[in-house]
Amino acid sequence: DAEDLKSVAAIAVYHAAELYDPAKGASWSTYAWWWVWGRLRRAVQDWLFTPVARQLEVQRGDIDPEGCDRPM
């Protein structure tokens, strides 16, 4: 939900602040934007494709169909 995305963005800004090096020539806003955009894109992809991954795990027998993460 929106709160999760806000948390992802905040963590991305934190990481950008830790890793930013002005000597490399990028402005802070550009550098932070790329971190936030990349993290949000990854979070959305994870959210979109998680059900498919879980379904494949159930089909392979890696997890219990009721959602328990234990081998069958």
Side-chain angles (χ1 to χ4, degrees):
D1 67 346
E3 290 299 317
D4 292 336
L5 293 177
K6 287 180 188 177
S7 296
V8 168
I11 292 169
V13 170
Y14 178 78
H15 283 286
E18 285 185 332
L19 299 174
Y20 178 65
D21 182 7
K24 292 187 178 181
S27 69
W28 159 248
S29 60
T30 301
Y31 189 76
W33 183 85
W34 278 104
W35 268 95
V36 171
W37 182 78
R39 292 288 177 113
L40 288 174
R41 185 186 60 173
R42 175 66 185 260
V44 170
Q45 285 177 338
D46 288 348
W47 177 76
L48 287 173
F49 295 110
T50 297
V52 173
R54 300 244 343 138
Q55 182 180 14
L56 292 174
E57 288 175 339
V58 169
Q59 288 174 352
R60 286 193 315 255
D62 294 341
I63 61 170
D64 187 352
E66 272 75 51
C68 297
D69 290 336
R70 60 180 169 79
M72 292 179 61

